[in-house]
Amino acid sequence: MKTVTLNGEYLTLEEVQEVAEGRARVKISPSVNRKVNRSRNFVEKALQHGEKIYGVTTGFGFLSDQVINPSQIEDLQRNLIRSHSVGVGPFFDEVTTRAIMVLRANVIAMGYSGVRIEVLKQLVEMINKRVHPLVPEQGSVGASGDLAPLAHLTSVLMGEGEAMFKGEVMSGKKAMKKAGIPLLTLKAKEGLALINGTQVMTAVGLLALLRAERLCKIADIVGACTLDALKGTLSAFDRDIQRVRPFPGHLAVSKNFQKLGRYSKIAASHKFCSKIQDAYSLRCIPQVHGAVRDALAFVRRILEIEVNSATDNPLIFPDRRKILNCGNFHGEAVAFALDLLAIAVSELGGISERRIEKLINPALSGLPAFLTSEGGLHSGLMMVQVSAAALVSENKVLAHPASVDSIPTSADKEDHVSMGTIAARKGREIVKNVENILAMELLCATQGLGFLLPLQPGIGIKEAYHIVREKVPPIKGDRRFSEDIQKIQSLIESGELLHHVERVVGGLR
């Protein structure tokens, strides 16, 4: 199994995913011990000198003016975790929880948190031994970071809360005991350090982004299938067109379509037809799919920075002999990026639904109505477009930016918040919806291609057709199409469809 080394500097989005999905273990870089220990020693010395430090010798938020007796510092940290464990709703799945944990560990590995190395080692042990705290999805406004969900995660380090271990839900204390991991008594600053940060919104957003990036390639494959099924032209994908409006995403999409549509006998059959140009949902695929790519490239840059950023408060700078109160836990940058992800990916679904309409509407497609040869007795794929339309409309609601909202919390001390975790969760749901919409389009497109046989589509399109046909037979009469959609969605989500098509045409951009 691959090992990912944490040093707080070079963690990649793909490495987070590998750990989250259980394909990699985690270890701490030797350089981390010195950084973490120096930071912790500086905190200890400040305590010895009687310095007033937010959240260490004071209360939290509005209560930060309350000075805490040194004898109650451990109680302060424990009470913080207990009082902030107020999350509700469904729990994050294990993959997301593991992503949150590795991101939190990487922040501590940077050496600005002021916690003991034992805290980091315990987090790493929990990841490697697969102790997964049950973390509710709802309850974070993304202000001082993801306070409520991270408090639920931290509870298990203390032997409280609940966790999943070896497929069984149990108390945090029991899970840690079964895994052979000693419990922690949180010392000064440690509870605060574990819950200040954007790791929940970043983890959810990161996993959604990686899924969305793959979905961009899938959208090109599916769109190319529809283009051939509708006897559309590749002329709108000519490189010269993109050269005079040189957005990187536009060029990438055009290159993909040239690969996918190569050697299409269908395209050759209507080369000299009377049609001048295609509808926007076909002709403007480079401009729409490409813009989605460029938007996601921006999201990636933001998350790559955030993954390796210190998001605690206060931050400890032992080399400069400073303990600085700050707002690095505020999720605005991530919230903006994930709102953009939601908007961009929803457009992949919107244009896909329009292509579905072109496929099933005989006035637009030249194919049998609703792609059934026995219309009337059979309804064919009529309702597939309706289902896609429902998901598109749902995405329009979900794509409303979360980051434009703010609500004061903590007696107006935290008077502006990011709503970044809500943005992340909405983006994740949109990605799932668009996977289903594209599965619906591919169901329709492959059925349409079947009506054009024996004319053969482009080589990449032909491969996609065959992969679908291995799971979903041609539609002879009405059946439960939801089962077909699910099978195609599984081909998309698993990466199987993309793998087989790229094996034939080469890597897609």
Side-chain angles (χ1 to χ4, degrees), residues 200-219:
V200 176
M201 67 180 79
T202 303
V204 176
L206 177 158
L207 295 171
L209 170 67
L210 293 173
R211 200 165 170 176
E213 288 178 335
R214 183 174 63 193
L215 208 54
C216 284
K217 296 181 181 182
I218 296 296

Side-chain angles (χ1 to χ4, degrees), residues 335-463:
F336 284 167
L338 297 181
D339 276 337
L340 177 58
L341 178 147
I343 292 167
V345 176
S346 68
E347 278 297 273
L348 279 184
I351 195 171
S352 174
E353 184 275 330
R354 287 294 80 203
R355 293 194 296 260
I356 293 172
E357 168 64 16
K358 300 295 182 297
L359 285 162
I360 67 170
N361 188 333
L364 303 172
S365 68
L367 298 168
F370 306 117
L371 300 172
T372 179
S373 55
E374 296 185 52
L377 176 63
H378 298 283
S379 295
L381 296 175
M382 176 193 299
M383 288 302 295
V384 171
Q385 184 266 332
V386 175
S387 186
L391 292 178
V392 167
S393 287
E394 183 177 325
N395 284 350
K396 291 173 185 176
V397 176
L398 291 171
H400 179 83
S403 58
V404 299
D405 183 30
S406 181
I407 189 167
T409 59
S410 192
D412 211 43
K413 188 81 167 182
E414 299 162 4
D415 57 348
H416 183 274
V417 301
S418 74
M419 302 297 181
T421 309
I422 297 172
R425 289 171 45 233
K426 293 195 302 92
R428 176 194 62 187
E429 295 308 308
I430 287 173
V431 171
K432 291 179 183 177
N433 286 344
V434 172
E435 279 186 356
N436 279 315
I437 294 168
L438 289 171
M440 293 172 191
E441 182 186 351
L442 191 51
L443 175 64
C444 295
T446 49
Q447 180 70 1
L449 288 168
F451 285 112
L452 301 181
L453 293 173
L455 286 175
Q456 296 296 309
I459 57 170
I461 299 163
K462 184 178 180 180
E463 182 66 16

Side-chain angles (χ1 to χ4, degrees), residues 52-230:
K52 186 177 179 180
I53 307 170
Y54 171 75
V56 179
T57 59
T58 76
F60 306 99
F62 181 76
L63 301 175
S64 59
D65 293 335
Q66 303 295 316
V67 177
I68 306 302
N69 188 296
S71 66
Q72 297 177 308
I73 283 178
E74 291 181 8
D75 291 337
L76 175 70
Q77 299 301 310
R78 182 171 58 251
N79 291 342
L80 172 70
I81 302 307
R82 288 174 175 171
S83 67
H84 283 53
S85 296
V86 294
V88 296
F91 299 116
F92 286 113
D93 59 57
E94 291 189 12
V95 170
T96 304
T97 301
R98 289 174 63 80
I100 296 167
M101 294 167 74
V102 72
L103 291 178
R104 190 67 247 173
N106 196 54
V107 170
I108 294 173
M110 296 182 71
Y112 299 108
S113 299
V115 305
R116 293 168 296 154
I117 193 68
E118 287 80 5
V119 175
L120 177 57
K121 288 180 177 178
Q122 190 191 52
L123 267 175
V124 168
E125 268 207 276
M126 290 171 68
I127 295 167
N128 290 337
K129 293 183 176 180
R130 305 186 72 86
V131 176
H132 303 134
L134 296 187
V135 181
E137 291 197 359
Q138 294 172 285
S140 175
V141 295
S144 295
D146 293 307
L147 295 174
L150 288 174
H152 282 272
L153 188 150
T154 304
S155 292
V156 177
L157 281 75
M158 299 162 42
E160 300 185 8
E162 290 184 301
M164 179 76 74
F165 182 64
K166 294 188 175 179
E168 182 183 348
V169 175
M170 60 188 72
S171 70
K173 184 176 182 179
K174 184 177 180 180
M176 297 291 271
K177 183 177 181 180
K178 280 181 170 286
I181 305 173
L183 301 179
L184 277 182
T185 298
L186 298 176
K187 305 294 184 181
K189 177 71 166 66
E190 292 179 341
L192 183 63
L194 285 164
I195 68 172
N196 265 183
T198 62
Q199 284 65 55
V200 176
M201 67 180 79
T202 303
V204 176
L206 177 158
L207 295 171
L209 170 67
L210 293 173
R211 200 165 170 176
E213 288 178 335
R214 183 174 63 193
L215 208 54
C216 284
K217 296 181 181 182
I218 296 296
D220 286 357
I221 294 170
V222 174
C225 289
T226 298
L227 186 72
D228 247 4
L230 292 173

